[in-house]
Amino acid sequence: MVPNLISLLRLAGVPVFLWLLLGPKADAWALALLIFSALTDWLDGKLARWLNQMSRLGRLLDPAADRLYILATLIAFLLRDIIPWWVVVPLVLREAVLGVCVLLLRRGGFSPPEVTYIGKGATFVLMYAFPFLLVTQGGSDLAAFARPVGYAFTAWGAVLYVWSGALYVVQTVRALRSPAPTSPV
């Protein structure tokens, strides 16, 4: 299935992206890969719906690729001093809490929390923020333009990301308080 292959390609790009940022510090190539990842994130969902190739694997691969790109970008940007630790910690903590929620739900026989529009929006905004933040490196006119835009998208995306995490916790608590499902998930 084409959409799943695109998601796998995105996943394979994560270590390359990290290497470009942290190894040779090839920011232009890392930026191109980040933009490619964002475009293919949109494309795989569109193709899955258009070709009627939506699958359980695709529903796992797509958010996994999103989360890995977000985590990889946050860690690389922290190590490169592009963003401070106090921006990274709540976003990484949100991912850790969500991971615990998924484990608790599975242990209770439930499916992972439903993806919310706020969660999708948060991912979308952060995926826009990251290229702008990468462009801020340097003293060019483009960097001066990108700086406030990148910071604004980062602040907005971070708030939405943490908010969506809180909503996933609420979903998890509600599910765990309800009767366990009768069929295996």
Side-chain angles (χ1 to χ4, degrees):
M1 293 172 56
V2 174
N4 289 346
L5 291 174
I6 292 172
S7 292
L8 286 172
L9 182 64
R10 286 179 54 225
L11 281 169
V14 172
V16 176
F17 174 72
L18 274 173
W19 176 78
L20 288 168
L21 278 177
L22 299 175
K25 295 185 180 172
D27 290 355
W29 285 107
L31 179 63
L33 185 55
L34 193 57
I35 292 169
F36 175 78
S37 172
L39 291 174
T40 55
D41 181 27
W42 171 82
L43 181 63
D44 68 0
K46 281 288 187 195
L47 283 176
R49 288 184 291 279
W50 185 61
L51 298 172
N52 198 25
Q53 292 184 348
M54 293 168 286
S55 67
R56 182 179 165 106
L57 178 61
R59 284 188 292 272
L60 294 173
L61 286 177
D62 184 57
D66 290 343
R67 286 198 172 87
L68 282 175
Y69 262 103
I70 287 172
L71 286 172
T73 304
L74 289 170
I75 290 166
F77 281 8
L78 177 66
L79 293 173
R80 292 266 313 268
D81 289 326
I82 295 172
I83 55 176
W85 67 268
W86 51 268
V87 171
V88 174
V89 169
L91 301 179
V92 171
L93 188 58
R94 181 254 195 206
E95 286 302 320
V97 168
L98 189 56
V100 170
C101 287
V102 169
L103 290 174
L104 290 172
L105 287 168
R106 291 207 179 174
R107 196 171 111 211
F110 296 95
S111 298
E114 287 292 319
V115 175
T116 64
Y117 284 112
I118 293 172
K120 287 181 181 221
T123 300
F124 178 79
V125 173
L126 285 175
M127 291 299 224
Y128 264 84
F130 294 154
F132 280 103
L133 290 174
L134 194 52
V135 170
T136 66
Q137 302 307 293
S140 70
D141 289 339
L142 183 58
F145 167 78
R147 199 165 284 115
V149 175
Y151 292 156
F153 272 113
T154 301
W156 184 29
V159 167
L160 289 174
Y161 209 64
V162 171
W163 183 16
S164 70
L167 293 176
Y168 292 134
V169 169
V170 169
Q171 284 183 19
T172 300
V173 169
R174 284 184 181 156
L176 293 175
R177 287 183 177 167
S178 68
T182 55
S183 62
V185 178

